[in-house]
Structures are given as C-alpha cells and as structure tokens.
Amino acid sequence: MKKIIFAAFVFVCLILSCEKKVDITQSSFLDDKTIENFVANHQMILDDIKTSGAKAWVVANSNFSVKDFFEAFRKKMPPNKVGKIFERYGLNAKMGHLQITTMQYGIVACTIEEALAEIENTERTEKQKASDNQARAWLKEIKSNISPEDYELVKKYKAKLYEIFNKL
C-alpha cells in the first residue's frame, strides 16, 4: 500500500503546474471508457508527459491532505501539451489529471477498505486499534473527495488499476 501512496504522490508531482483555473461543475469524472483507455494507454500517457517538456503545474506539498490535493487539482488546468496528451489517449483534456488522481486515490481507498474488513473481527491491541481508527479516518477523507459513482467504477476495475499503480 505504501508503494501505491508513494506512486500517487510521485505521479501527482510529475504532472502538475499551470495558472488557468478549471470550472468543474460535475460530480463524477470517470466512466468505463475513460478507465479502459487509461488501463490500455497508461504507460504511453506517462512517457509522453515525461518527454513533453511540461513542467509541474500544481505545487505539491508533502503535508497536503487528500482534500488539499483534490482542491489544488480542481483549480488548475494542465498545460496545453499535457491536455493534448490526455485527449489523445481518451482522457479529458482539462481534467485528465483529476481523472487519474481519482483512480489513484480510489485504489488506495479500496485497499484500506479491504484491509479494515480483514481485521474487523480480530483481536487488536490498543495501539493497533488506534492505527485502525487512523486508517478509517483517512478512508473517510479519501471517499469524501471521490464521487460514489467514480468509486464504484474504480472498484469495478480494481485489479487492473491496482496492478498499474503498484508498478509506478
């Protein structure tokens, strides 16, 4: 799970910079086609972004909360070069970074949810219970920043997305 969280942070830092604001009025950013396109083309998307020369367009701070990350992403639009890359591979030109972030954090939420379900009826020490409560709080924060529709789609494609983000 630490690999996924680290990969999400690295990817976020890699694709972020720009001063244009994005007006996002929809609650859901994903659909089946978008996720399928990302699964099929994720490596090309990453490679093209790396070679595009685009600089980070959102300043990422390691102390950012999940809410802060999503807020930063909702306020910024990727540079045209990156937007064209997103569009070429079936993501939204103005919100591809938010779509990818939603998938990443969705996978983290699925992983936490599964881990908590596995230990639900086991004996836990006080220290473990405190850790479990922290995980529940983080899960709640993540899920509060992802629409229920998007979360269900991420769960549907969990195996494929987990494999992708675990390799990054």
Side-chain angles (χ1 to χ4, degrees):
M1 186 168 88
K2 288 182 180 180
K3 282 177 118 179
I4 292 175
I5 295 167
F6 178 73
F9 180 75
V10 168
F11 189 78
V12 166
C13 292
L14 173 68
I15 65 169
L16 307 170
S17 111
C18 190
E19 294 302 317
K20 296 179 184 176
K21 295 208 176 190
V22 178
D23 178 29
I24 296 176
T25 56
Q26 64 190 51
S27 61
S28 180
F29 303 104
L30 301 174
D31 57 28
D32 286 292
K33 190 70 175 160
T34 299
I35 294 177
E36 290 166 5
N37 286 333
F38 179 77
V39 167
N41 301 307
H42 66 278
Q43 193 59 56
M44 291 177 283
I45 294 169
L46 291 174
D47 291 345
D48 286 1
I49 290 171
K50 286 178 187 175
T51 60
S52 72
K55 299 198 187 316
W57 69 91
V58 174
V59 177
N61 180 327
S62 62
N63 295 327
F64 270 16
S65 67
V66 174
K67 180 182 176 186
D68 293 337
F69 267 120
F70 275 94
E71 281 301 310
F73 281 35
R74 286 180 179 110
K75 291 178 181 177
K76 301 288 183 174
M77 189 170 70
N80 287 335
K81 289 179 191 178
V82 177
K84 288 178 183 178
I85 293 167
F86 289 150
E87 196 168 46
R88 182 180 324 133
Y89 294 111
L91 278 70
N92 183 294
K94 295 179 180 178
M95 294 184 294
H97 60 299
L98 192 54
Q99 291 171 316
I100 293 168
T101 301
T102 299
M103 287 183 261
Q104 289 175 311
Y105 275 105
I107 289 299
V108 171
C110 288
T111 305
I112 294 170
E113 206 167 54
E114 287 176 358
L116 289 171
E118 283 181 29
I119 61 170
E120 187 174 344
N121 295 319
T122 62
E123 281 293 314
R124 308 288 284 165
T125 66
E126 289 305 313
K127 187 175 181 178
Q128 289 171 322
K129 288 177 185 178
S131 180
D132 298 346
N133 288 335
Q134 287 177 329
R136 281 185 194 89
W138 201 40
L139 174 63
K140 183 178 178 180
E141 183 180 3
I142 293 170
K143 288 177 75 173
S144 72
N145 285 282
I146 299 174
S147 76
E149 297 87 3
D150 286 349
Y151 188 62
E152 289 304 314
L153 278 172
V154 169
K155 285 173 31 177
K156 178 179 174 181
Y157 291 94
K158 179 190 167 286
K160 292 177 183 177
L161 291 172
Y162 182 88
E163 183 179 325
I164 290 166
F165 292 124
N166 197 36
K167 288 180 184 176
L168 295 178

